[in-house]
Amino acid sequence: MAKHSFSLSPFSSFILPRGDTLFYLIALFSILSLLLHHLSPVSAENRHFEGFDADEIDDFADSDEPISVAEHLPPPPPTTTLSVSDPIESHHGPPPPSDPAPQVTSQPSDPKPASTSFDYWDEDEFEGIPQSPPSDSPLIMESATATSSDSDPGLKPEPEPEPEIPKSISSYTVEIVCVSFLIMFVINYFTGKKENENLALAWATKFATKDSIFEKNFSLLGVGETDDSPLLLKEGQNVFKFYASGRRFCQGMLATMELKSRHDLISRLYNMVVPCKDEITFEVYMNDDAMDHVVVAVAKKKLVKTMQKEITDLQRFASLVSPPSGRKWIAEELAVVSESKEVAGDMISETVLDQVFGDKAYEKFGKGFISMHFSDQHLGSHKKMLVFKFALPDAKNMADMTRLVALVPYYIDLVGRYKLSSHARTKTEGARMKVAQEIYKELQNARQEALQRKKAEQRKKMEEAEAKLGAEALRKREAKERARQMKKAMPKMKMTRTG
């Protein structure tokens, strides 16, 4: 058999080294593997940090090598608090827990060089860390519970939310008060409205129906022109009006009832503190030829002074009348203001003193009297008027004001037939002429003031217009005005021809 000899080329000797060369290569590869193992940026213990996903964790879990649970689960999110470096902590992760879990087995590892210490925890260094573990993995749930309980044993669990306690009735006090006030307001509105209507109907039934005072003295009652027209006109929840006409010496009579605002709960409460009365006012519009120069008023002393200051005709013509001597006069609570004593004496007759205004009669029948005012100089559309104002009693006691209501037709006839004496007429005409002159002067003064005000406004507008003009236009205007004044000041010369 032939023997074949094999010889190796230099290249083949390098691929298949022998002897010492092979030993040196094996040692070199061992050193390089150790260096790569220790200098790798991602160690085996911290491979769940950068570059590792959940799929890789599952791959490690499926391998045959036993891996502890705590080694491959993400630690809790790092906090931003200041931490102290530890010689055993790695620069690639947070420090290990001080008290390791007893059920977790630790894997021996080679000693590592101490990493550089750091002062602040950098959250950006740990990108890819899941914030909350999946809820469908029982392994992760167990590990998260163990980590949270073992990392901080002093941390107390969050308290469970307390069950909501139903509110008591006292917590709805404001709502209950508001609803109660609203209910009371509504109930008071209807009850107060009904009370006012009953009071007005009680008065109309007593004095405006068949065989009553106004039915006997007026031919037409009510707000319409037929017999079936309603007697009262309701202008508000507390305002009712009654009209009558068809009587001598007057064009008609208007009665206005102004009652308490019983439908308003706030007004009702106010009236409990500050009492007021239900009032009725009679306005009689006299014919122009049926009333002489008469200006007189009767009321309580305090009210008379107020009327004399506020009512224009009383302020201009009337003065307080002192009680006459030798005859009966009105009660001490009352006072009279009149244009003359003659008019006052004629208006306060013996009949009205016995019926209402005397001491005994006023105490019994005149408690509802407020005032009466007769004037032929009344301001308004009707100059000649008789005005009576009385207080209304309760609906059950409406008969108490019968004598007061009887004063209305009585004074219509008395004033319609009344004529002043020549001396009193001369005096009253002189007073009226004087007042007319004063009124004329007041009108003239008002007219002059209005004219001056108008001129001042025009002057102001011209000054504003001049201020808006330019300097050149103003200079031309001044030059033109100066030339006009010079021409006006030059003497006029007349030229004549001599033949």
Side-chain angles (χ1 to χ4, degrees):
M1 177 179 288
K3 295 182 181 178
H4 298 281
S5 60
F6 297 91
S7 61
L8 299 176
S9 63
F11 179 74
S12 61
S13 64
F14 178 77
I15 295 176
L16 298 174
R18 296 181 180 181
D20 295 336
T21 305
L22 179 62
F23 176 77
Y24 288 134
L25 289 175
I26 293 172
L28 180 61
F29 288 148
S30 300
I31 293 171
L32 288 175
S33 64
L34 289 175
L35 288 175
L36 290 175
H37 178 73
H38 289 287
L39 297 178
S40 177
V42 180
S43 62
E45 294 180 357
N46 298 324
R47 59 178 171 269
H48 56 275
F49 287 158
E50 297 179 356
F52 283 84
D53 297 331
D55 295 335
E56 295 179 357
I57 295 175
D58 294 337
D59 294 339
F60 283 107
D62 295 336
S63 64
D64 296 333
E65 184 180 357
I67 301 174
S68 61
V69 175
E71 290 178 355
H72 302 288
L73 289 179
T79 59
T80 57
T81 58
L82 181 64
S83 61
V84 181
S85 62
D86 197 310
I88 64 173
E89 68 182 20
S90 174
H91 65 281
H92 290 291
S98 59
D99 297 329
Q103 69 274 12
V104 179
T105 60
S106 62
Q107 182 179 3
S109 60
D110 296 335
K112 302 177 184 180
S115 61
T116 306
S117 62
F118 59 93
D119 295 333
Y120 295 96
W121 193 273
D122 190 1
E123 294 183 356
D124 297 335
E125 184 179 356
F126 306 102
E127 297 179 356
I129 299 177
Q131 297 297 326
S132 59
S135 59
D136 55 352
S137 176
L139 180 62
I140 295 176
M141 292 294 292
E142 180 183 357
S143 175
T145 306
T147 305
S148 62
S149 60
D150 296 337
S151 62
D152 193 356
L155 182 63
K156 296 182 179 180
E158 295 183 0
E160 297 182 358
E162 298 181 358
E164 295 184 0
I165 302 174
K167 295 183 178 180
S168 59
I169 298 178
S170 60
S171 60
Y172 297 98
T173 304
V174 177
E175 290 81 357
I176 293 173
V177 171
C178 293
V179 173
S180 301
F181 180 81
L182 181 61
I183 294 173
M184 292 174 60
F185 190 89
V186 173
I187 294 174
N188 179 79
Y189 176 82
F190 290 102
T191 56
K193 173 184 174 183
K194 192 65 176 177
E195 288 179 13
N196 285 342
E197 290 177 354
N198 292 337
L199 185 61
L201 290 174
W203 181 89
T205 303
K206 180 64 179 178
F207 301 106
T209 55
K210 188 177 180 181
D211 297 333
S212 61
I213 296 176
F214 292 117
E215 199 272 337
K216 294 178 180 179
N217 287 273
F218 294 90
S219 60
L220 181 61
L221 304 178
V223 295
E225 297 180 356
T226 61
D227 296 337
D228 297 334
S229 59
L231 292 175
L232 298 176
L233 175 64
K234 183 178 180 181
E235 290 193 347
Q237 302 302 333
N238 62 326
V239 179
F240 300 85
K241 291 191 175 183
F242 167 77
Y243 183 77
S245 62
R247 196 182 195 284
R248 61 177 182 173
F249 304 130
C250 69
Q251 301 174 8
M253 182 200 72
L254 178 64
T256 304
M257 284 180 277
E258 296 180 0
L259 310 180
K260 299 177 184 178
S261 298
R262 293 180 175 87
H263 64 286
D264 188 356
L265 182 59
I266 298 176
S267 298
R268 185 186 284 267
L269 295 176
Y270 177 77
N271 292 335
M272 292 180 181
V273 181
V274 182
C276 64
K277 299 179 180 180
D278 298 312
E279 297 181 357
I280 183 169
T281 303
F282 297 92
E283 297 178 353
V284 181
Y285 309 108
M286 301 294 291
N287 296 329
D288 294 337
D289 57 348
M291 187 174 183
D292 210 340
H293 299 165
V294 175
V295 177
V296 63
V298 180
K300 293 184 178 180
K301 292 181 178 180
K302 187 176 181 179
L303 182 58
V304 159
K305 294 180 180 179
T306 304
M307 292 172 64
Q308 192 174 7
K309 292 178 181 179
E310 296 179 354
I311 301 176
T312 306
D313 57 327
L314 294 179
Q315 185 179 2
R316 290 174 176 173
F317 301 104
S319 59
L320 187 63
V321 178
S322 58
S325 58
R327 58 163 295 183
K328 294 172 61 177
W329 198 238
I330 58 177
E332 295 181 359
E333 294 89 342
L334 302 176
V336 180
V337 288
S338 177
E339 190 173 6
S340 65
K341 290 185 177 181
E342 179 181 342
V343 174
D346 294 337
M347 294 295 107
I348 308 298
S349 61
E350 294 288 340
T351 303
V352 296
L353 290 173
D354 294 337
Q355 293 292 322
V356 179
F357 296 135
D359 292 331
K360 296 180 180 180
Y362 182 78
E363 185 177 353
K364 188 175 181 180
F365 303 105
K367 293 300 182 182
F369 176 79
I370 297 176
S371 67
M372 68 179 186
H373 175 209
F374 310 152
S375 176
D376 66 319
Q377 298 294 318
H378 198 278
L379 295 179
S381 57
H382 298 275
K383 293 188 64 177
K384 298 183 177 183
M385 290 180 58
L386 310 181
V387 181
F388 303 84
K389 187 175 289 187
F390 307 136
L392 285 170
D394 298 336
K396 298 180 180 179
N397 301 321
M398 199 60 66
D400 295 345
M401 65 176 305
T402 302
R403 294 196 179 188
L404 294 177
V405 174
L407 293 176
V408 177
Y410 173 79
Y411 273 109
I412 292 175
D413 293 336
L414 180 60
V415 174
R417 292 191 298 260
Y418 181 72
K419 299 297 179 182
L420 284 171
S421 63
S422 58
H423 176 71
R425 179 177 293 276
T426 303
K427 186 177 180 180
T428 56
E429 287 179 354
R432 279 157 176 72
M433 188 176 295
K434 183 178 179 180
V435 170
Q437 292 177 356
E438 292 177 357
I439 294 173
Y440 178 76
K441 289 181 180 179
E442 291 177 359
L443 293 175
Q444 286 294 105
N445 293 334
R447 205 175 285 115
Q448 290 292 334
E449 290 178 0
L451 185 61
Q452 291 178 1
R453 195 181 303 111
K454 187 176 181 181
K455 289 182 178 180
E457 291 178 356
Q458 291 178 353
R459 192 180 304 110
K460 186 177 180 180
K461 289 181 180 180
M462 291 178 63
E463 291 176 356
E464 292 177 355
E466 290 177 357
K468 292 180 181 179
L469 292 175
E472 185 65 21
L474 186 61
R475 187 183 62 79
K476 291 181 178 180
R477 184 173 180 179
E478 291 178 354
K480 186 176 180 180
E481 182 68 19
R482 194 180 305 111
R484 189 178 67 82
Q485 293 292 340
M486 291 177 61
K487 184 178 179 181
K488 186 178 180 180
M490 289 178 62
K492 294 181 179 180
M493 300 179 62
K494 187 176 181 181
M495 297 180 62
T496 60
R497 285 185 182 182
T498 56

